[in-house]
Amino acid sequence: MGKFQVTALAVILSTLCTGASLAEHRRPVPPPHDPYHPGRGDAGAFQVRVGGFFPAGGGDVWRDNREFFTFDMEDMNSAMLGLSVVRSATGWLEFGFNADVYSGSAVSAERGVVDEFGFPVVHDTRLRLVPVTADLRILPGGRRSHRSGPYAPAPVFYFGGGLGLAFWEYEESGEFVDFSDPGLPIFAGSFRADGVALESHLLAGLELPLGPAWGLLFEGRYSWADDQLDNADFPGFGRLDLGGPSIYVGASFRF
């Protein structure tokens, strides 16, 4: 397991354990006088999400890939998995602690160049992301605790925003053309870089209750993050855009 995977796994576990610890240290709150008043809501929830991430494709790196290679940004669209620990502050306000995992790749060829047999010169481009974030969620209609009276299912809509860190790894591997040599020799290589970028996001979601504690979750997010791709393998390559929209479906268990 590489340094990127070890670091990302450690941060995910630390974040979710912190969220779970906050949820465990809750104070009992007496039910409101009106059993259908949102009140404080439940103490929190665990959420599991699966969906897709669609990189926006801005910045220098993606622009150059489209210009010099037969690169299609849509090929980078791929699955994204997420876990959240949600902590209720009131019936109308919640905090989320999130960890997501994405890995996308695309195959592209050098434009205008073929090998000695007439075949395209191709390589793989891969991006891995592990955003670890916290956010504030507003519930306009409130959330009623399943402990405060007879169960009365009601959809819960929420929206909000937050900040975090996006752990990233970018890699290109395959065959390349050395344009610094007049003979345009073709060589095999693998180049990579990784880093950590500041992330911000907006989100909106809907929970449909399936029982007193279980619910079906639909959520959408848009994230902003970027970093400089500038190391020994990619000297001065410029800005790597790590943001874009994501959509999820999942399950929520409230406790």
Side-chain angles (χ1 to χ4, degrees):
M1 183 177 291
K3 180 181 70 173
F4 172 80
Q5 289 86 351
V6 172
T7 303
L9 180 60
V11 174
I12 288 174
L13 293 176
S14 175
T15 301
L16 294 181
C17 288
T18 300
S21 177
L22 289 173
E24 284 297 322
H25 291 82
R26 59 184 184 270
R27 292 174 298 176
V29 176
H33 177 70
D34 178 358
Y36 295 98
H37 191 281
R40 183 176 180 271
D42 296 329
F46 290 109
Q47 296 178 344
V48 180
R49 297 170 278 109
V50 59
F53 177 62
F54 311 92
D60 306 310
V61 175
W62 302 124
R63 181 200 62 210
D64 290 346
N65 282 352
R66 290 189 292 266
E67 180 178 352
F68 299 117
F69 309 117
T70 59
F71 179 83
D72 189 341
M73 197 68 212
E74 291 186 358
D75 291 339
M76 299 298 294
N77 298 344
S78 188
M80 196 166 198
L81 306 178
L83 296 172
S84 295
V85 177
V86 179
R87 167 72 172 176
S88 295
T90 71
W92 293 274
L93 195 64
E94 296 180 342
F95 297 96
F97 303 89
N98 320 288
D100 298 84
V101 178
Y102 156 87
S103 179
S105 64
V107 178
S108 59
E110 298 272 0
R111 291 190 185 275
V113 180
V114 295
D115 66 15
E116 62 212 71
F117 303 105
F119 293 110
V121 181
V122 300
H123 69 271
D124 294 327
T125 299
R126 180 177 296 276
L127 175 67
R128 300 179 182 91
L129 281 177
V130 180
V132 179
T133 61
D135 48 51
L136 177 66
R137 308 177 182 198
I138 300 170
L139 289 61
R143 182 192 298 278
R144 177 181 169 275
S145 170
H146 69 262
R147 299 184 184 86
S148 61
Y151 172 58
V156 176
F157 169 72
Y158 60 89
F159 66 91
L163 297 170
L165 297 175
F167 295 80
W168 61 269
E169 182 181 72
Y170 180 83
E171 183 179 9
E172 294 182 8
S173 59
E175 292 187 325
F176 302 88
V177 177
D178 184 359
F179 287 96
S180 66
D181 187 323
L184 300 181
I186 296 172
F187 65 96
S190 181
F191 309 93
R192 64 175 298 279
D194 56 37
V196 183
L198 180 64
E199 188 265 11
S200 61
H201 64 273
L202 297 176
L203 76 159
L206 178 67
E207 281 188 49
L208 301 178
L210 301 178
W214 289 96
L216 183 64
L217 177 71
F218 300 92
E219 188 174 289
R221 299 184 179 209
Y222 197 100
S223 63
W224 293 268
D226 64 74
D227 208 346
Q228 289 297 118
L229 189 60
D230 186 9
N231 69 350
D233 285 351
F234 300 99
F237 270 48
R239 176 173 163 263
L240 176 65
D241 184 8
L242 305 169
S246 55
I247 56 173
Y248 298 96
V249 62
S252 176
F253 173 72
R254 303 202 64 80
F255 48 81

